Amino acid sequence: MSLVSVRVFAVVVLLSWLPLGARAGVVKGLVSGADQTPLAFANVAVRGAATSTGANEQGRYQLRLPAGQYELVFQYVGYKPRIEAVRVPGGDSLLTLNVALQAEQYSLGEVLVKSSDRDPAYAIIQQAQQWRAYHRREVAAYRARIYIKSIGRILDTPAKIMGLFKIGPDIKKGIFYLSESLSDISVTQPDVVKERMISSRVSGDSRGLSFNRASAGRHLTFYETLVKPGFSERGFVSPIAPNAMLFYKYELVGSSSENGVLVHKIHVIPRRRTDPVFSGYIYIVDGTWRIHSVDFTLDKEAHIDYVDEIHLRQQYAPAPGNPNVWVMQSEQARAMLSGLGFKGSFDLTAVLSNYANVVATYPTPPIPKAAPPVVVEGKEAGPGGQETAAQIRKRKPDLRGLNAQVRRQVKLARRDSLKNDPFASMPRGEVQLIEKGVNERDTAYWASVRPVPLTTEELKDYQVKDSTEVIRRSRPYQDSMDRKRNEFEPIDLLVGGYTRLNSFKKETYKVQPLSQIFQYNTVEGAVLNGQLVYSKRTEDRRYVTLTPTLRYGFSSRALNPSLELAWQLHPSQRRLLSLTAGRTIENFDRNSQLTPAINAVYTLLDNRNYAKLYRRDGAELGFAFEPLNGLNLRTVVGYFDRHELVNTTARLIHDVPGRAFTPNQPVSDELAATGFGRSRVLTLGFSADYKPGQRYISRPDGKFNLGSRWPTFNVQGRLAVPGVLGADVRYLLLQTGVRHSLPLGLLGTSSFRATVGGFVGASQNLTFIDYRHFAGNQTLLTGSFDQFQLLDYYRFSTRRSYFEAHYDHHFNGFIFNKVPLFRRLKLQEVVSLNYLTTPQAGQYVELGAGVEHLLKVLRVDFYTALQSGQKLGTGFRVGYGF
């Protein structure tokens, strides 16, 4: 869409808000309690209309309305709603209306509760559970406008991170991120969300685009069994989930009449603080048993890393024109954060309004089954549920055909909207569209459309950062900041390497850490691996990375120069060109998890030279692109002259008696002699990854993939062509595979990866380098837990057919959170299985169990290996496990 059409679309959208011939006036003021305490994020709505807003943190609201007479409804969780009649004059008028709400007086009425009876709240919750499936899908489709404001603050900073790393000069106390967005959304069951961002603003960055996204909050509905706030690997049980009574206790605080309906306030109390549960209050509407509002907290007992507390509020109300279905009016979330010496907070406010095309699943909701009055000791029990659980189950609504009815209504809604659907141009899978020009609005525009007024702090942040943006983008300012950022400290080279920035030119120069610069192996001896990574980026996300390397082996006396290039050609579509050229020293298995640092430690201290190396001269050119959503293709062509290498040194630090270095030739069960002398190869390769149903965001600065509920399928092949430039290798290798991560609710997350393949045809001519290798591990340390952990590096390498599978399950604390010591340490349990079959290996299996999040970053597993039912060995493995 052109910039002109974008602007025309924006004007049309804005005009659609206003009746013709009427100019809007503004009603604003303060919403407070009876003691004048501001009620942060109170909800303000126009009675009987689709217009609503929310107060800010200071309780201040503003509402822009055309001239006319209105009734405004002021609501706040735990307070009595208040209705105020207002008359908005014509023109750009300003009307101030301050409102004080009274705390709701919840009454238990005449509920009869014997000491042996359960609290009446349980009956109310049970009814809500029985109606949960209906309310989750009572709206088949709708459209709305959503305003989202997100703000992040740094409240405290350490002198140095972990006492080692300096803090950048741009990390200061105060607001570090402030963003607003206004979008139109379309939602259809079961989970199709389309969003077109109308306007976006990022404090201090006129070119910035907000990362606010309406669909990100779809998982925060308490009608789902598990609620996922986004800060944790596991979800948290909803207080009205089918199994919620196993996790919660409930107390009826009282009931109150509100706008003609009876609302029950229920205190939600965790049975065990160790469970993944909320605490706070849920408000349930009597008779329909729907959620009126929630006010919940997750604290440190939730075991969310770097999060001290999360506070969630939601407010629902009848949809405009249809009181039988309710929709969300507003949502607020606050997270208090801490870690590595930092303290901060992150707040998100969302206000939904302008609901339209609300399609109810049923024209009228199912009629609740009537229950005979409950008599206790000759008296009829009052409202609140002296019925037994069995009696309430008999009142369970008949929801047969609900799914079919939802599909029917969605189909009708789509058919009716085909003629005038602003989301029709969005292709399948695109959940958010951000077009050029959405960040070009001025402050006057935002003052006219912003439903939630800015606080004093936010207003100041905009004023200061926007006024100084030109200065902060200037070369003198950025150079001065870079001088601080680029200050060298020795710890940098020990841990992650040293990076030098040129922010104005968007260039970086990086020197690798010492573990990459200084290496040791028996083929080259001491190695000086000088490598510089140069990166250049543009405003539209294109980049080029150039990596020259000079590698010198002091024992082999060989200099090996090489160059790598990665070039992103297109600003928004994936088109990546890569080139590798020169002379490199390679492992026989290029995917080996045996890092140079691990190999050096075992070589120098344990007499074990696991790395088997060869020299490779030549070049490889690759191109990766995404022609269709979810389909990623990569092609590659390469020519290399390969040379066998031998050990040139036997020096070490610690000599283990009776143990000698092994020759620089891999040991394989399938091939007795793995030496090859010299070999030339010309290869053509391809790879295709396909993820059905991939969701994504389209932005002016690129396409961002969000994943899919479906697995990723892979097909790849490599063809060696003989006779060209002296190439003497001929083979065809084909492979297909699948990988997926499957969330299993409270039980954790399972991940699996499986591949099957083999060399095609009988006339093969290849070296051991070209065999299909399987990444093994013979050390205590591991670079990846996704590979084999006890398998000898080259023992089962093959030139035949193979099947390889890896599975692990992360329980995310499902077991350990019930054990006091493990719970306090926030440790999590994991189990794994690795499987391989080849004609030579037979059936090879590894079974593992371990603990992750040790010291927040480490994982330790214990493995047992079996071959065709016979035990091969056991061992521990240590690596990163976040």
Side-chain angles (χ1 to χ4, degrees):
M1 182 180 288
S2 68
L3 182 59
V4 172
S5 61
V6 170
R7 288 173 174 167
V8 171
F9 172 76
V11 171
V12 171
V13 168
L14 290 174
L15 288 177
S16 68
W17 283 13
L18 304 176
L20 292 176
R23 299 181 67 187
V26 175
V27 182
K28 71 174 187 177
L30 173 70
V31 183
S32 64
D35 59 355
Q36 299 302 307
T37 301
L39 298 180
F41 310 117
N43 189 264
V44 185
V46 178
R47 191 175 188 181
T51 304
S52 66
T53 187
N56 61 22
E57 292 180 66
Q58 298 170 341
R60 298 199 172 274
Y61 75 95
Q62 66 184 29
L63 198 60
R64 184 172 293 271
L65 297 169
Q69 194 79 21
Y70 301 94
E71 286 186 325
L72 302 186
V73 182
F74 296 83
Q75 292 176 292
Y76 190 77
V77 175
Y79 284 73
K80 291 181 180 180
R82 181 169 169 177
I83 300 176
E84 290 286 342
V86 298
R87 179 181 169 279
V88 178
D92 294 327
S93 59
L94 178 62
L95 177 64
T96 300
L97 177 61
N98 298 324
V99 174
L101 301 183
Q102 299 293 324
E104 187 66 82
Q105 300 298 318
Y106 290 93
S107 171
L108 288 174
E110 298 181 357
V111 176
L112 179 63
V113 182
K114 293 171 58 179
S115 60
S116 59
D117 292 335
R118 62 179 185 170
D119 190 285
Y122 285 87
I124 299 170
I125 291 295
Q126 187 179 349
Q127 292 280 20
Q129 289 173 328
Q130 294 183 159
W131 282 87
R132 181 187 65 89
Y134 172 76
H135 292 310
R136 183 167 62 94
R137 309 191 69 177
E138 70 178 353
V139 181
Y142 68 85
R143 294 181 193 165
R145 180 152 294 168
I146 183 169
Y147 166 83
I148 301 176
K149 179 174 67 178
S150 53
I151 178 170
R153 298 179 179 89
I154 296 177
L155 304 177
D156 197 10
T157 61
K160 283 190 175 183
I161 300 175
M162 301 175 66
L164 300 174
F165 305 102
K166 65 184 179 190
I167 298 175
D170 41 3
I171 299 179
K172 303 175 182 178
K173 294 181 182 180
I175 296 176
F176 68 87
Y177 180 76
L178 172 59
S179 171
E180 298 176 277
S181 65
L182 193 68
S183 300
D184 281 334
I185 61 172
S186 171
V187 180
T188 55
Q189 293 282 3
D191 59 355
V192 180
V193 181
K194 299 286 187 180
E195 176 179 359
R196 295 178 71 108
M197 186 174 288
I198 300 170
S199 48
S200 164
R201 187 181 186 188
V202 179
S203 179
D205 187 358
S206 59
R207 306 172 190 173
L209 293 167
S210 174
F211 284 96
N212 295 337
R213 181 163 55 91
S215 58
R218 286 280 294 167
H219 55 271
L220 282 177
T221 168
F222 288 87
Y223 288 120
E224 297 289 348
T225 300
L226 287 180
V227 182
K228 298 182 178 180
F231 290 93
S232 175
E233 296 171 342
R234 62 176 181 172
F236 295 85
V237 179
S238 167
I240 61 170
N243 60 343
M245 291 187 184
L246 298 175
F247 297 89
Y248 293 100
K249 295 184 292 184
Y250 305 93
E251 294 178 355
L252 178 62
V253 176
S255 306
S256 175
S257 179
E258 182 177 309
N259 296 328
V261 298
L262 188 64
V263 179
H264 303 293
K265 179 180 181 180
I266 297 173
H267 189 194
V268 176
I269 307 167
R271 288 188 179 275
R272 296 166 296 274
R273 300 297 303 175
T274 58
D275 287 336
V277 291
F278 298 91
S279 61
Y281 298 91
I282 187 169
Y283 298 77
I284 302 294
V285 178
D286 189 82
T288 58
W289 313 112
R290 66 174 75 252
I291 295 176
H292 171 278
S293 52
V294 301
D295 189 355
F296 287 137
T297 298
L298 293 169
D299 56 22
K300 288 185 177 181
E301 294 292 341
H303 296 286
I304 307 176
D305 287 335
Y306 309 112
V307 177
D308 294 335
E309 183 179 272
I310 297 177
H311 196 175
L312 295 172
R313 291 191 184 98
Q314 292 179 347
Q315 181 83 46
Y316 291 82
N322 193 338
N324 292 324
V325 298
W326 285 36
V327 291
M328 185 180 293
Q329 282 189 311
S330 62
E331 179 178 62
Q332 296 85 36
R334 163 165 286 189
M336 302 303 298
L337 314 171
S338 65
L340 302 177
F342 290 92
K343 289 186 179 295
S345 65
F346 194 86
D347 292 81
L348 185 143
T349 301
V351 177
L352 291 97
S353 62
N354 291 42
Y355 277 95
N357 301 94
V358 179
V359 179
T361 300
Y362 290 101
T364 57
I367 300 175
K369 296 178 182 178
V374 179
V375 178
V376 179
E377 297 180 354
K379 296 182 179 180
E380 184 175 314
Q386 282 301 299
E387 297 172 277
T388 65
Q391 290 172 320
I392 295 175
R393 280 195 294 271
K394 293 180 180 179
R395 301 178 62 188
K396 185 175 182 179
D398 185 2
L399 299 180
R400 289 176 296 181
L402 175 62
N403 291 341
Q405 180 67 14
V406 169
R407 290 193 295 269
R408 187 179 304 113
Q409 291 299 98
V410 167
K411 185 176 180 180
L412 291 174
R414 287 174 175 168
R415 185 190 66 186
D416 294 341
S417 66
L418 284 178
K419 296 180 180 179
N420 185 25
D421 185 2
F423 301 93
S425 61
M426 295 179 64
R428 183 184 297 272
E430 187 179 48
V431 300
Q432 186 183 44
L433 173 62
I434 305 176
E435 297 169 305
K436 290 183 179 179
V438 299
N439 55 358
E440 296 177 0
R441 319 297 184 194
D442 58 18
T443 55
Y445 164 86
W446 279 103
S448 67
V449 302
R450 180 185 293 115
V452 180
L454 297 175
T455 65
T456 304
E457 179 191 27
E458 293 162 355
L459 185 60
K460 181 179 179 181
D461 190 74
Y462 271 130
Q463 292 172 342
V464 171
K465 290 181 179 176
D466 289 351
S467 63
T468 59
E469 181 181 1
V470 175
I471 297 175
R472 288 184 289 107
R473 287 186 179 275
S474 68
R475 183 164 192 168
Y477 178 85
Q478 293 194 23
D479 286 349
S480 67
M481 296 293 283
D482 284 343
R483 281 193 289 271
K484 291 290 293 181
R485 297 188 188 105
N486 294 334
E487 289 179 357
F488 175 76
E489 292 191 12
I491 189 66
D492 294 336
L493 281 181
L494 290 175
V495 181
Y498 171 69
T499 300
R500 186 172 184 83
L501 303 173
N502 188 322
S503 300
F504 185 79
K505 293 184 177 180
K506 298 188 181 301
E507 296 176 343
T508 61
Y509 302 83
K510 182 175 181 179
V511 177
Q512 299 296 338
L514 292 178
S515 60
Q516 294 290 327
I517 296 175
F518 298 104
Q519 303 175 18
Y520 187 86
N521 60 71
T522 55
V523 172
E524 301 171 280
V527 175
L528 179 62
N529 187 61
Q531 186 178 84
L532 178 68
V533 182
Y534 166 80
S535 180
K536 168 77 173 180
R537 294 187 175 271
T538 63
E539 291 287 352
D540 56 6
R541 291 184 68 244
R542 287 182 295 170
Y543 66 87
V544 60
T545 301
L546 195 63
T547 309
T549 302
L550 283 177
R551 181 186 180 103
Y552 182 76
F554 286 88
S555 179
S556 61
R557 298 181 180 179
L559 180 65
N560 303 293
S562 63
L563 179 70
E564 293 183 16
L565 169 71
W567 186 8
Q568 170 61 29
L569 303 175
H570 195 275
S572 60
Q573 300 176 11
R574 184 170 186 258
R575 296 179 187 175
L576 182 63
L577 182 69
S578 60
L579 172 68
T580 300
R583 173 174 294 176
T584 59
I585 304 298
E586 302 287 347
N587 244 311
F588 276 73
D589 179 12
R590 296 188 64 196
N591 296 317
S592 175
Q593 57 182 305
L594 180 66
T595 66
I598 294 175
N599 180 71
V601 169
Y602 275 83
T603 300
L604 291 171
L605 301 179
D606 202 37
N607 280 43
R608 298 185 186 275
N609 56 325
Y610 289 122
K612 305 303 175 186
L613 310 172
Y614 69 96
R615 196 184 84 199
R616 192 180 71 166
D617 303 335
E620 182 178 81
L621 181 67
F623 182 64
F625 61 106
E626 185 181 19
L628 299 172
N629 178 45
L631 177 63
N632 286 280
L633 302 179
R634 185 174 188 269
T635 59
V636 62
V637 57
Y639 174 83
F640 292 103
D641 186 359
R642 304 171 302 182
H643 299 262
E644 184 178 357
L645 301 176
V646 297
N647 291 338
T648 62
T649 183
R651 293 184 178 181
L652 41 69
I653 296 176
H654 176 258
D655 190 5
V656 178
R659 182 181 299 162
F661 287 133
T662 58
N664 186 47
Q665 291 186 353
V667 176
S668 169
D669 284 1
E670 190 170 301
L671 183 64
T674 57
F676 64 93
R678 181 183 181 186
S679 173
R680 299 180 180 90
V681 62
L682 173 65
T683 58
L684 304 174
F686 76 94
S687 176
D689 276 344
Y690 180 56
K691 183 181 284 293
Q694 178 173 270
R695 299 174 299 114
Y696 65 95
I697 298 171
S698 294
R699 296 164 55 102
D701 55 355
K703 176 175 179 279
F704 294 79
N705 294 326
L706 300 176
S708 168
R709 68 179 63 182
W710 298 100
T712 299
F713 301 92
N714 172 266
V715 176
Q716 55 183 290
R718 188 168 68 247
L719 174 67
V721 182
V724 180
L725 301 176
D728 53 12
V729 176
R730 178 178 60 243
Y731 66 83
L732 174 60
L733 173 64
L734 297 177
Q735 176 180 290
T736 185
V738 60
R739 62 183 184 273
H740 192 45
S741 182
L742 185 65
L744 298 176
L746 293 181
L747 290 177
T749 302
S750 286
S751 300
F752 67 87
R753 174 172 58 89
T755 57
V756 59
F759 290 83
V760 179
S763 57
Q764 302 172 11
N765 182 23
L766 64 164
T767 70
F768 190 71
I769 300 173
D770 307 302
Y771 275 47
R772 176 59 163 87
H773 305 293
F774 307 99
N777 188 20
Q778 294 175 257
T779 71
L780 174 66
L781 305 175
T782 179
S784 171
F785 284 97
D786 295 334
Q787 308 288 354
F788 295 101
Q789 299 302 325
L790 298 178
L791 179 67
D792 290 1
Y793 293 109
Y794 300 101
R795 179 177 178 183
F796 295 140
S797 299
T798 186
R799 61 184 294 171
R800 303 177 186 176
S801 61
Y802 55 87
F803 175 73
E804 176 184 6
H806 302 272
Y807 169 83
D808 60 34
H809 181 78
H810 299 261
F811 286 93
N812 297 338
F814 180 76
I815 300 173
F816 283 175
N817 282 346
K818 298 175 175 61
V819 182
L821 177 60
F822 289 96
R823 181 177 70 248
R824 186 175 297 275
L825 296 175
K826 297 184 179 181
L827 302 183
Q828 297 185 5
E829 58 279 42
V830 60
V831 296
S832 56
L833 181 148
N834 302 314
Y835 175 80
L836 174 67
T837 178
T838 70
Q840 191 70 33
Q843 312 294 325
Y844 176 82
V845 179
E846 291 179 356
L847 301 174
V851 179
E852 56 186 350
H853 291 199
L854 283 162
L855 303 177
K856 295 189 182 295
V857 298
L858 295 180
R859 172 176 164 181
V860 177
D861 282 24
F862 178 77
Y863 289 90
T864 297
L866 306 170
Q867 185 181 15
S868 299
Q870 301 296 316
K871 185 175 180 179
L872 285 185
T874 60
F876 285 95
R877 294 295 180 263
V878 180
Y880 290 110
F882 296 95

